[in-house]
Amino acid sequence: MFQPDRHEALVATPWNETEVRAAILEIATSALSRFDASTLWPSHPMDGVPDGVAGMYMGAAGAILALDWLKRAGAIDYAQDFTPALPGMVERDNAWLKNMPLGAYGSLLMGDLGTHLVAMRLAPDSWTAYRIYERARDNNALPVLELMWGTPGSMLACVFMHAQTGEERFEALYRTQAARLLAALEDVDGVRLWTQEIYGQRTNYLGLVHGFAGNILAFVRGWHWLDNEQQGFVADAAMQTLAATAKHADAAANWPANADLPDAPMLCQICHGAPGILVGVGSAPFTSPDFDRQLVEAGNLVWSAGPLKKGSNFCHGTGGNAFAMLKLYKRTGDGLWLERARAFAMHSIAQLHTATREHGRGRYSLWTGDPGLAVCLWSCITGEPEFPGLDQI
């Protein structure tokens, strides 16, 4: 059901809001102290990318977005002005992406689309709004792919931009891309799936970052723009596909990374497996007794698997799995999931401190590093799971 060697035993530390707030402040203070407007942040050895990467996933844009989000939420306060660094960040994205297999895609998490969105959040102007629209529209002529690189990410960008500007062009673009994404859903041996041709492989991923759950999230965020037929189609596809591909044992449920591989790895983290499924569909406006029971079983799996050895981060770590349980708490109202999320949060703080000692520094990114963890920790305090770039900008 999951890979035990990727997990470790939970250290049962009682929930302590004062300690959690201190950890958030510690993360923010470290990030602010290491920022340079010219060079941005140094990369972390575990990320394997050059210094000064600017994108939302593991670059400066994501770290800035997390810090700004925490400041607006009242979790931290600071005087640092990031706007002088914004113009050069897009060029950094483009230069780096020229050497990537997919090139300078209209990507929410890896390309300059996400960076422009952060610029629009901090210093809105008509040129940035125009550039976001053009970048998102580019995806109309490219393979739909998945949340990280393709159409679902640009659909989220349209939702965020419409919320900020009220411009109808973003609604119209969303509707066009939603219809295209729905048309790309295929029947694969009786199961409705999207096929990704990515990184030189043709796959049917199920998870949040690269597959089915991330695509459903894009529909959930723009639900009010779908017509009744589209809403019914998405709801049926989501519930039927997740039921058909889930693996069950002992009141727990998980999903393989690939629906098309009989020996696909059974991971338990945000990018692949039950935690990402919970984040992708946890706030979906459709339900059935079987569907909701399956989501509770997914939460049971996350809890029984325990904290992740990869550390405290959102994408592959304990902080992200805590956030997934918060999504279940928000959907069910059952305080057990808040308690379990907070238990994982306390463990993640210990992992943060261990990693900081080992590397002599923090990890400054939204999805793979400490600022993303700080967002998860704050959500554990408030009980409101909101992650920047997925739920809002």
Side-chain angles (χ1 to χ4, degrees), residues 224-242:
H224 55 293
W225 288 337
L226 304 178
D227 62 36
N228 290 339
E229 182 179 353
Q230 289 173 323
Q231 289 178 349
F233 186 84
V234 170
D236 288 345
M239 291 189 287
Q240 291 173 10
T241 295
L242 292 178

Side-chain angles (χ1 to χ4, degrees), residues 219-306:
F219 291 118
V220 169
R221 289 287 166 263
W223 192 256
H224 55 293
W225 288 337
L226 304 178
D227 62 36
N228 290 339
E229 182 179 353
Q230 289 173 323
Q231 289 178 349
F233 186 84
V234 170
D236 288 345
M239 291 189 287
Q240 291 173 10
T241 295
L242 292 178
T245 54
K247 309 296 182 184
H248 298 269
D250 300 324
N254 200 8
W255 287 262
N258 306 58
D260 54 337
L261 296 178
D263 58 346
M266 298 292 289
L267 302 176
C268 182
Q269 54 200 40
I270 289 293
C271 54
H272 294 292
I277 301 296
L278 287 170
V279 172
V281 304
S283 55
F286 47 81
T287 184
S288 77
D290 287 342
F291 181 65
D292 280 4
R293 186 181 308 112
Q294 188 165 247
L295 295 185
V296 169
E297 290 183 357
N300 290 338
L301 186 283
V302 177
W303 176 250
S304 63

Side-chain angles (χ1 to χ4, degrees), residues 37 47 52 110 112 162 219 221 234 256 298 311 328 385 387:
D47 286 332
M110 298 297 281
D112 64 0
H162 187 273
F219 291 118
R221 289 287 166 263
V234 170
L328 192 55
F387 197 79

Side-chain angles (χ1 to χ4, degrees), residues 30 34 42-48 309-313 350-364 368-370:
S30 175
R34 294 297 298 269
S43 67
H44 195 275
M46 294 182 69
D47 286 332
K309 289 182 179 178
K310 276 196 172 182
S312 59
N313 68 85
Q351 290 180 309
L352 166 73
H353 291 155
T354 297
T356 301
R357 287 193 300 270
E358 289 178 354
H359 294 281
R361 44 152 297 177
R363 192 175 181 183
Y364 309 114
T368 66
D370 304 341

